[in-house]
Protein backbone atom coordinates (compact mmCIF):
# COMPACT_ATOMS: atom_id res chain seq x y z
CA UNK A 1 0.00 0.00 0.00
CA UNK A 2 1.09 3.52 -0.53
CA UNK A 3 2.24 5.89 2.15
CA UNK A 4 0.01 8.95 2.91
CA UNK A 5 -3.36 8.75 4.64
CA UNK A 6 -6.60 8.78 2.67
CA UNK A 7 -8.94 11.74 3.19
CA UNK A 8 -12.20 10.92 4.92
CA UNK A 9 -15.52 11.53 3.24
CA UNK A 10 -17.95 14.00 4.87
CA UNK A 11 -19.51 12.66 8.05
CA UNK A 12 -22.94 13.67 6.78
CA UNK A 13 -23.25 10.60 4.59
CA UNK A 14 -22.95 6.87 5.01
CA UNK A 15 -21.50 6.67 1.52
CA UNK A 16 -18.01 6.46 2.86
CA UNK A 17 -14.91 4.53 2.04
CA UNK A 18 -11.64 5.47 3.68
CA UNK A 19 -8.19 4.07 3.61
CA UNK A 20 -5.95 5.08 6.47
CA UNK A 21 -2.32 4.21 5.82
CA UNK A 22 0.43 4.59 8.41
CA UNK A 23 4.02 5.22 7.27
CA UNK A 24 6.18 2.18 6.41
CA UNK A 25 3.50 -0.37 5.85
CA UNK A 26 1.29 -0.11 8.95
CA UNK A 27 -2.22 0.19 7.63
CA UNK A 28 -5.68 0.43 9.01
CA UNK A 29 -8.51 0.06 6.49
CA UNK A 30 -11.87 1.43 7.56
CA UNK A 31 -14.80 0.68 5.32
CA UNK A 32 -18.21 2.13 6.02
CA UNK A 33 -20.39 1.28 3.09
CA UNK A 34 -23.76 2.55 1.99
CA UNK A 35 -26.65 0.15 1.87
CA UNK A 36 -25.80 -1.66 5.12
CA UNK A 37 -29.32 -2.98 5.57
CA UNK A 38 -29.49 -4.07 1.95
CA UNK A 39 -26.14 -5.81 2.31
CA UNK A 40 -27.23 -7.79 5.39
CA UNK A 41 -30.55 -8.77 3.84
CA UNK A 42 -28.77 -9.75 0.66
CA UNK A 43 -26.42 -12.03 2.59
CA UNK A 44 -29.28 -13.64 4.50
CA UNK A 45 -31.92 -13.93 1.80
CA UNK A 46 -30.13 -13.37 -1.49
CA UNK A 47 -27.62 -16.18 -1.66
CA UNK A 48 -24.59 -14.66 0.02
CA UNK A 49 -22.03 -11.99 -0.68
CA UNK A 50 -22.44 -11.95 -4.48
CA UNK A 51 -26.17 -11.26 -4.15
CA UNK A 52 -25.53 -8.59 -1.54
CA UNK A 53 -22.94 -6.97 -3.79
CA UNK A 54 -25.68 -6.28 -6.35
CA UNK A 55 -27.52 -4.16 -3.78
CA UNK A 56 -24.59 -1.90 -2.97
CA UNK A 57 -24.61 1.56 -4.46
CA UNK A 58 -21.36 2.88 -5.86
CA UNK A 59 -19.75 5.43 -3.55
CA UNK A 60 -19.06 8.73 -5.31
CA UNK A 61 -17.40 12.03 -4.46
CA UNK A 62 -17.28 15.45 -6.06
CA UNK A 63 -13.98 14.43 -7.63
CA UNK A 64 -15.19 11.12 -9.04
CA UNK A 65 -18.39 12.66 -10.39
CA UNK A 66 -16.37 15.40 -12.07
CA UNK A 67 -13.95 12.87 -13.56
CA UNK A 68 -16.71 10.59 -14.84
CA UNK A 69 -18.64 13.54 -16.32
CA UNK A 70 -15.49 14.72 -18.11
CA UNK A 71 -14.33 11.31 -19.34
CA UNK A 72 -17.66 9.79 -20.37
CA UNK A 73 -18.42 11.70 -23.61
CA UNK A 74 -14.99 11.07 -25.11
CA UNK A 75 -14.80 7.44 -23.99
CA UNK A 76 -18.38 6.72 -25.07
CA UNK A 77 -17.59 8.00 -28.56
CA UNK A 78 -14.42 5.90 -28.68
CA UNK A 79 -16.27 2.79 -27.53
CA UNK A 80 -19.02 3.29 -30.10
CA UNK A 81 -16.46 3.68 -32.88
CA UNK A 82 -14.79 0.45 -31.76
CA UNK A 83 -18.01 -1.55 -31.53
CA UNK A 84 -18.24 -1.64 -27.75
CA UNK A 85 -21.33 -0.75 -25.73
CA UNK A 86 -21.14 1.67 -22.82
CA UNK A 87 -20.93 -0.36 -19.60
CA UNK A 88 -19.42 -3.37 -21.38
CA UNK A 89 -17.94 -5.97 -18.99
CA UNK A 90 -14.32 -5.12 -18.19
CA UNK A 91 -11.22 -7.21 -17.51
CA UNK A 92 -7.82 -6.01 -16.26
CA UNK A 93 -4.45 -7.69 -16.84
CA UNK A 94 -1.23 -6.36 -15.33
CA UNK A 95 2.36 -7.38 -16.03
CA UNK A 96 4.89 -6.55 -13.34
CA UNK A 97 8.18 -6.79 -15.23
CA UNK A 98 6.84 -4.84 -18.21
CA UNK A 99 5.06 -2.33 -15.95
CA UNK A 100 1.99 -2.47 -18.15
CA UNK A 101 -1.73 -2.67 -17.38
CA UNK A 102 -4.22 -3.75 -20.04
CA UNK A 103 -7.93 -2.91 -19.96
CA UNK A 104 -10.08 -5.32 -21.95
CA UNK A 105 -13.78 -4.81 -22.71
CA UNK A 106 -16.31 -7.36 -23.90
CA UNK A 107 -17.48 -6.99 -27.48
CA UNK A 108 -20.00 -9.57 -28.52
CA UNK A 109 -19.09 -12.86 -26.86
CA UNK A 110 -15.39 -12.16 -26.24
CA UNK A 111 -13.12 -9.63 -24.59
CA UNK A 112 -10.93 -7.40 -26.77
CA UNK A 113 -8.17 -5.11 -25.60
CA UNK A 114 -9.24 -1.48 -25.33
CA UNK A 115 -6.07 0.18 -24.08
CA UNK A 116 -2.69 -0.51 -22.51
CA UNK A 117 -1.55 1.88 -19.78
CA UNK A 118 1.93 2.31 -18.27
CA UNK A 119 2.32 1.47 -14.59
CA UNK A 120 4.31 4.50 -13.55
CA UNK A 121 5.31 3.29 -10.07
CA UNK A 122 5.55 -0.17 -8.55
CA UNK A 123 7.73 -1.68 -5.83
CA UNK A 124 9.12 -5.15 -5.25
CA UNK A 125 10.18 -7.79 -7.74
CA UNK A 126 8.91 -10.95 -9.40
CA UNK A 127 6.94 -13.33 -7.22
CA UNK A 128 3.71 -13.14 -5.21
CA UNK A 129 3.21 -10.97 -2.15
CA UNK A 130 3.92 -12.97 1.00
CA UNK A 131 3.46 -10.72 4.02
CA UNK A 132 2.55 -7.32 5.35
CA UNK A 133 5.23 -4.75 4.62
CA UNK A 134 7.22 -6.72 2.03
CA UNK A 135 6.34 -4.06 -0.58
CA UNK A 136 5.53 -6.75 -3.14
CA UNK A 137 2.77 -6.40 -5.70
CA UNK A 138 0.60 -9.57 -5.54
CA UNK A 139 0.37 -12.07 -8.37
CA UNK A 140 -2.71 -14.10 -9.14
CA UNK A 141 -6.44 -13.69 -9.61
CA UNK A 142 -8.26 -10.81 -7.95
CA UNK A 143 -11.32 -8.66 -8.61
CA UNK A 144 -12.64 -5.12 -8.21
CA UNK A 145 -16.23 -4.89 -6.95
CA UNK A 146 -18.54 -1.93 -6.40
CA UNK A 147 -17.44 -1.54 -2.82
CA UNK A 148 -13.78 -1.63 -3.91
CA UNK A 149 -14.00 1.80 -5.54
CA UNK A 150 -12.61 4.66 -3.45
CA UNK A 151 -13.43 8.10 -4.86
CA UNK A 152 -11.95 9.82 -1.77
CA UNK A 153 -8.43 8.44 -2.23
CA UNK A 154 -5.55 10.87 -1.71
CA UNK A 155 -4.02 9.05 -4.69
CA UNK A 156 -6.60 10.76 -6.93
CA UNK A 157 -8.86 7.70 -7.38
CA UNK A 158 -8.33 4.11 -6.29
CA UNK A 159 -9.80 0.64 -6.43
CA UNK A 160 -8.99 -2.25 -4.10
CA UNK A 161 -8.10 -5.47 -5.95
CA UNK A 162 -9.15 -7.76 -3.10
CA UNK A 163 -5.81 -9.06 -1.80
CA UNK A 164 -5.56 -11.48 -0.02
CA UNK A 165 -7.65 -13.87 -2.14
CA UNK A 166 -8.64 -17.41 -1.14
CA UNK A 167 -5.29 -18.90 -2.13
CA UNK A 168 -3.34 -16.18 -0.32
CA UNK A 169 -5.32 -16.82 2.87
CA UNK A 170 -4.81 -20.59 2.60
CA UNK A 171 -1.08 -19.99 2.29
CA UNK A 172 -0.97 -17.66 5.28
CA UNK A 173 -0.08 -14.57 3.27
CA UNK A 174 -0.72 -11.32 5.09
CA UNK A 175 -1.25 -7.68 4.23
CA UNK A 176 -4.02 -5.85 2.45
CA UNK A 177 -5.21 -2.55 0.96
CA UNK A 178 -3.58 -3.27 -2.40
CA UNK A 179 -4.88 -0.75 -4.90
CA UNK A 180 -4.80 0.37 -8.48
CA UNK A 181 -4.58 4.15 -8.05
CA UNK A 182 -3.19 7.39 -9.42
CA UNK A 183 -0.45 9.78 -8.28
CA UNK A 184 2.51 7.67 -9.45
CA UNK A 185 3.66 6.72 -5.95
CA UNK A 186 3.35 3.29 -4.39
CA UNK A 187 4.61 0.60 -2.04
CA UNK A 188 2.98 -2.62 -3.13
CA UNK A 189 0.25 -1.07 -5.28
CA UNK A 190 -0.12 -0.52 -9.03
CA UNK A 191 0.27 3.24 -9.42
CA UNK A 192 -0.97 4.81 -12.63
CA UNK A 193 -0.81 8.32 -14.02
CA UNK A 194 -3.81 10.44 -13.07
CA UNK A 195 -5.11 10.54 -16.68
CA UNK A 196 -4.73 6.77 -16.82
CA UNK A 197 -6.61 6.05 -13.60
CA UNK A 198 -9.37 8.44 -14.67
CA UNK A 199 -10.07 6.38 -17.78
CA UNK A 200 -9.76 3.06 -15.96
CA UNK A 201 -11.94 4.19 -13.06
CA UNK A 202 -14.64 5.55 -15.38
CA UNK A 203 -14.85 2.38 -17.47
CA UNK A 204 -14.66 0.03 -14.48
CA UNK A 205 -17.40 1.96 -12.70
CA UNK A 206 -19.53 1.80 -15.85
CA UNK A 207 -19.00 -1.96 -16.07
CA UNK A 208 -19.85 -2.47 -12.39
CA UNK A 209 -23.07 -0.45 -12.57
CA UNK A 210 -24.41 -1.80 -15.86
CA UNK A 211 -27.69 -3.73 -15.74
CA UNK A 212 -25.92 -6.95 -16.70
CA UNK A 213 -22.92 -6.42 -14.40
CA UNK A 214 -21.29 -9.55 -13.02
CA UNK A 215 -21.80 -9.50 -9.22
CA UNK A 216 -18.34 -11.04 -8.84
CA UNK A 217 -16.87 -7.79 -10.14
CA UNK A 218 -14.20 -6.92 -12.70
CA UNK A 219 -11.45 -9.56 -12.85
CA UNK A 220 -7.92 -8.30 -12.16
CA UNK A 221 -5.22 -10.81 -13.13
CA UNK A 222 -1.65 -9.91 -12.21
CA UNK A 223 1.21 -11.76 -13.90
CA UNK A 224 4.95 -11.59 -13.20
CA UNK A 225 5.68 -11.02 -16.90
CA UNK A 226 4.16 -11.75 -20.29
CA UNK A 227 3.98 -15.50 -19.98
CA UNK A 228 4.76 -16.78 -23.45
CA UNK A 229 5.88 -20.40 -23.35
CA UNK A 230 9.61 -19.86 -23.87
CA UNK A 231 9.67 -16.91 -21.49
CA UNK A 232 7.97 -18.94 -18.78
CA UNK A 233 10.41 -21.83 -19.13
CA UNK A 234 13.37 -19.47 -18.88
CA UNK A 235 12.33 -19.15 -15.22
CA UNK A 236 12.08 -22.87 -14.43
CA UNK A 237 14.67 -22.62 -11.65
CA UNK A 238 12.78 -19.84 -9.86
CA UNK A 239 11.06 -20.81 -6.58
CA UNK A 240 7.70 -19.58 -7.90
CA UNK A 241 7.83 -21.55 -11.16
CA UNK A 242 5.06 -24.02 -10.22
CA UNK A 243 2.77 -21.17 -9.20
CA UNK A 244 3.49 -19.41 -12.49
CA UNK A 245 2.68 -22.61 -14.40
CA UNK A 246 -0.78 -22.52 -12.82
CA UNK A 247 -1.19 -18.94 -14.04
CA UNK A 248 -0.22 -19.84 -17.62
CA UNK A 249 -3.68 -21.11 -18.75
CA UNK A 250 -5.23 -17.91 -17.40
CA UNK A 251 -2.66 -15.83 -19.30
CA UNK A 252 -3.41 -17.79 -22.49
CA UNK A 253 -7.16 -17.00 -22.35
CA UNK A 254 -7.56 -13.21 -22.42
CA UNK A 255 -10.55 -13.26 -24.74
CA UNK A 256 -12.54 -15.16 -22.11
CA UNK A 257 -11.12 -13.21 -19.13
CA UNK A 258 -8.79 -16.04 -18.22
CA UNK A 259 -11.35 -18.71 -19.01
CA UNK A 260 -13.63 -17.29 -16.34
CA UNK A 261 -11.26 -18.45 -13.61
CA UNK A 262 -11.92 -16.85 -10.23
CA UNK A 263 -9.35 -18.85 -8.27
CA UNK A 264 -6.33 -21.10 -8.74
CA UNK A 265 -7.52 -23.25 -5.86
CA UNK A 266 -8.66 -26.83 -6.27
CA UNK A 267 -8.41 -29.87 -4.03
CA UNK A 268 -4.67 -29.46 -3.60
CA UNK A 269 -3.35 -26.26 -5.17
CA UNK A 270 -4.07 -23.98 -2.24
CA UNK A 271 -2.05 -26.24 0.00
CA UNK A 272 0.94 -26.14 -2.34
CA UNK A 273 3.15 -23.26 -1.20
CA UNK A 274 4.23 -22.18 -4.67
Amino acid sequence: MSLPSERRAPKSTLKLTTEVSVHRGKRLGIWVVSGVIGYVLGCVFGGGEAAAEEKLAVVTSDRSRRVVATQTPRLAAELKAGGWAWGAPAYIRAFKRERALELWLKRGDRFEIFREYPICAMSGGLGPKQKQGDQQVPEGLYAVTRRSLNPYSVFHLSMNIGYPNAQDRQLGRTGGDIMIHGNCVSLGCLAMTDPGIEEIYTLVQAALTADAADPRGVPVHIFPFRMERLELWRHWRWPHFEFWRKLKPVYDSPHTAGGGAASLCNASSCRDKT
Side-chain angles (χ1 to χ4, degrees):
M1 180 57 189
S2 310
L3 296 179
S5 299
E6 298 281 14
R7 183 174 70 84
R8 290 178 180 258
K11 293 183 179 179
S12 58
T13 176
L14 283 179
K15 293 181 178 180
L16 171 62
T17 302
T18 63
E19 300 155 23
V20 181
S21 300
V22 182
H23 194 66
R24 297 188 179 180
K26 296 181 181 178
R27 308 179 187 92
L28 173 63
I30 303 172
W31 298 89
V32 181
V33 215
S34 63
V36 173
I37 296 176
Y39 179 80
V40 173
L41 292 177
C43 285
V44 175
F45 300 109
E49 186 172 338
E53 181 69 34
E54 294 178 344
K55 300 178 181 294
L56 292 174
V58 169
V59 180
T60 64
S61 66
D62 288 344
R63 181 192 309 148
S64 70
R65 289 189 292 271
R66 183 172 60 252
V67 165
V68 170
T70 301
Q71 293 288 335
T72 295
R74 177 181 58 80
L75 289 173
E78 191 170 350
L79 293 187
K80 183 177 180 180
W84 284 287
W86 184 255
Y91 168 43
I92 292 172
R93 302 192 343 150
F95 305 94
K96 290 169 58 173
R97 187 176 64 192
E98 291 82 0
R99 294 198 170 205
L101 183 146
E102 296 175 348
L103 179 61
W104 294 62
L105 299 174
K106 199 167 189 179
R107 184 169 57 196
D109 61 353
R110 56 187 270 154
F111 286 87
E112 303 288 352
I113 189 166
F114 171 71
R115 188 109 69 221
E116 180 179 308
Y117 301 88
I119 299 171
C120 62
M122 185 182 66
S123 61
L126 300 185
K129 182 175 182 62
Q130 301 290 346
K131 62 183 179 179
Q132 176 89 17
D134 65 5
Q135 301 181 16
Q136 279 287 102
V137 173
E139 295 172 8
L141 312 187
Y142 302 93
V144 170
T145 64
R146 293 185 183 188
R147 54 185 169 166
S148 303
L149 300 177
N150 183 7
Y152 293 103
S153 173
V154 297
F155 305 104
H156 195 48
L157 297 165
S158 68
M159 54 189 77
N160 192 313
I161 69 168
Y163 173 90
N165 63 19
Q167 184 178 36
D168 297 322
R169 291 191 295 270
Q170 287 272 352
L171 296 177
R173 295 171 180 163
T174 59
D177 294 341
I178 304 299
M179 311 284 164
I180 301 171
H181 60 65
N183 263 23
C184 279
V185 57
S186 181
L187 288 177
C189 296
L190 299 173
M192 318 301 295
T193 65
D194 286 354
I197 195 62
E198 287 184 0
E199 285 194 1
I200 297 165
Y201 194 98
T202 299
L203 292 170
V204 166
Q205 179 175 290
L208 290 172
T209 55
D211 290 340
D214 188 335
R216 295 174 299 178
V218 170
V220 177
H221 296 167
I222 304 177
F223 303 96
F225 44 79
R226 295 191 184 276
M227 303 182 75
E228 303 303 329
R229 180 177 175 82
L230 290 179
E231 187 60 32
L232 173 63
W233 280 94
R234 283 185 59 243
H235 296 80
W236 70 275
R237 291 181 180 272
W238 284 58
H240 309 297
F241 178 71
E242 288 303 318
F243 171 67
W244 292 341
R245 285 184 65 187
K246 294 170 188 174
L247 278 176
K248 181 72 163 78
V250 178
Y251 171 83
D252 288 337
S253 308
H255 295 290
T256 57
S263 174
L264 294 179
C265 293
N266 55 34
S268 62
S269 68
C270 278
R271 295 196 296 270
D272 295 336
K273 294 196 174 184
T274 55

